[in-house]
Amino acid sequence: MRIISSVREMQQATDNFRRAGKLIGVVPTMGYLHEGHLSLIHLARRHADVVITTIFVNPTQFAPNEDFTKYPRDIERDTALAESAGTDILFTPSTDEMYPREYRTYVVVEQITKMLEGQFRPTHFRGVTTIVTKLFNITKPHVAVFGQKDAQQVVVIKQMVKDLNFDLEIIVAPIVREQDGLALSSRNVYLSESERKQSIVLSSALRRAEEYVHRGEKTPSRIIGEMKKMITAQPSARVDYISIADPASLEDVSAIPHHGSVLISLAVRFGQTRLIDNMLVYIP
Ligand code: PAF
């Protein structure tokens, strides 16, 4: 595995691969890799000849009151994990390399960035779409792999790819969970022992919601009410939102449709740690 930290060197490497007719896959990450990230790298391997994993904790997607400085980092461990999962090139730029002093340009996707996460993190997606655009221009991939765990991020990035005519395909990998149901996230390390136990409620509440939908419940507020009851029974849990939305528009549905799918998503804080999770529920 080759490690590159300069933009210019990365662009030269990817140009050479393209000239040699290789299919390039990129897996953008913020590091502190876990099984969820490794599943993205494995998926990229199946779709590409050359897999580039990027590690960059992107300051522009964190608000000043968020966890940018304390976001977990372990580049040595990440390097070993990325290599063992099948990465060919690990791209690890510095902040100065990505955002030099005279940096001025941001990419904004309208509307779908304002709901759900956007209500609580109004500048978050502007940072995500900006860095992902930069990473696409630097790694020039044919395919890019993202995790369904960040469901809204996937919708936003797909919209950006379509609107800005990026010539690449977005591939989405399913959520990877711990045995007890907690969705893997680099932020799980922040949880105290007690918060970690309580956090199991998120996947249980999503499964309960799915049962309601499959049993024919059509009123979203009844399902959300039941989920809220389950979650707030945990002493540390504070709900930011629970939503049952159309998976494409992310607009809350007024009724569960008779056919199709809904995206049930939530954000809940346990102490200082904010967790998100979701489930795409199909109605046959
Ligand atoms: O999902 C993430 O880890 C980040 O939002 C991403 C896509 C790597 C951009 O910094």
Side-chain angles (χ1 to χ4, degrees):
M1 185 179 74
R2 186 169 157 197
I3 301 177
I4 297 180
S5 51
S6 123
V7 168
R8 206 181 149 70
E9 196 185 334
M10 185 67 250
Q11 283 176 319
Q12 275 163 359
T14 201
D15 280 348
N16 290 340
F17 286 126
R18 278 195 166 245
R19 264 198 292 275
K22 303 285 187 203
L23 276 179
I24 298 168
V26 69
V27 181
T29 82
M30 297 208 298
Y32 212 70
L33 303 181
H34 51 63
E35 283 297 327
H37 296 112
L38 305 187
S39 76
L40 308 184
I41 300 173
H42 293 145
L43 193 56
R45 269 258 68 94
R46 295 200 346 234
H47 287 85
D49 304 313
V50 178
V51 174
I52 303 169
T53 300
T54 75
I55 296 185
F56 180 65
V57 185
N58 173 34
T60 63
Q61 68 188 77
F62 293 80
N65 61 329
E66 293 180 352
D67 55 344
F68 172 66
T69 46
K70 75 167 183 129
Y71 193 83
R73 294 159 167 90
D74 189 342
I75 193 63
E76 270 177 35
R77 186 171 159 274
D78 284 351
T79 304
L81 286 172
E83 181 161 30
S84 68
T87 300
D88 297 298
I89 299 186
L90 187 65
F91 180 55
T92 57
S94 67
T95 307
D96 286 348
E97 185 73 0
M98 296 305 268
Y99 296 110
R101 216 167 348 139
E102 67 280 15
Y103 191 84
R104 299 280 181 265
T105 306
Y106 292 87
V107 178
V108 176
V109 173
E110 302 284 1
Q111 204 209 353
I112 50 173
T113 49
K114 300 210 165 66
M115 47 259 273
L116 305 176
E117 285 299 287
Q119 300 167 82
F120 295 87
R121 307 184 72 192
T123 57
H124 172 68
F125 287 114
R126 169 186 187 260
V128 170
T129 45
T130 299
I131 197 66
V132 169
T133 297
K134 287 170 68 67
L135 290 169
F136 285 170
N137 284 332
I138 295 165
T139 61
K140 302 175 202 173
H142 298 91
V143 298
V145 185
F146 294 88
Q148 176 61 21
K149 161 85 179 358
D150 294 293
Q152 187 175 11
Q153 172 170 281
V154 167
V155 173
V156 168
I157 289 171
K158 281 185 171 171
Q159 182 77 44
M160 177 186 83
V161 163
K162 185 165 154 239
D163 290 350
L164 297 185
N165 310 103
F166 279 103
D167 191 9
L168 55 85
E169 188 192 344
I170 300 293
I171 298 175
V172 183
I175 298 176
V176 179
R177 296 181 181 281
E178 300 280 5
Q179 287 232 309
D180 63 11
L182 178 65
L184 295 194
S185 161
S186 305
R187 290 191 167 96
N188 292 350
V189 292
Y190 299 151
L191 295 167
S192 69
E193 206 178 309
S194 148
E195 290 162 353
R196 172 66 186 82
K197 281 188 189 132
Q198 296 176 49
S199 68
I200 302 166
V201 74
L202 302 186
S203 57
S204 316
L206 287 166
R207 279 199 309 275
R208 178 75 61 85
E210 182 186 40
E211 276 163 32
Y212 270 68
V213 172
H214 285 158
R215 267 196 261 134
E217 176 58 67
K218 293 290 172 213
T219 310
S221 59
R222 284 207 199 112
I223 305 174
I224 291 171
E226 177 64 19
M227 292 175 78
K228 209 173 221 160
K229 207 159 74 191
M230 284 176 75
I231 293 170
T232 53
Q234 302 302 319
S236 309
R238 300 286 174 273
V239 176
D240 272 358
Y241 66 84
I242 301 175
S243 151
I244 304 186
D246 176 276
S249 70
L250 303 179
E251 303 270 10
D252 283 346
V253 293
S254 53
I256 307 293
H258 290 281
H259 303 285
S261 57
V262 285
L263 176 69
I264 309 184
S265 64
L266 50 79
V268 175
R269 282 169 291 125
F270 290 89
Q272 300 296 315
T273 308
R274 187 172 181 278
L275 300 180
I276 59 171
D277 199 352
N278 71 84
M279 189 181 272
L280 255 177
V281 179
Y282 293 92
I283 307 127

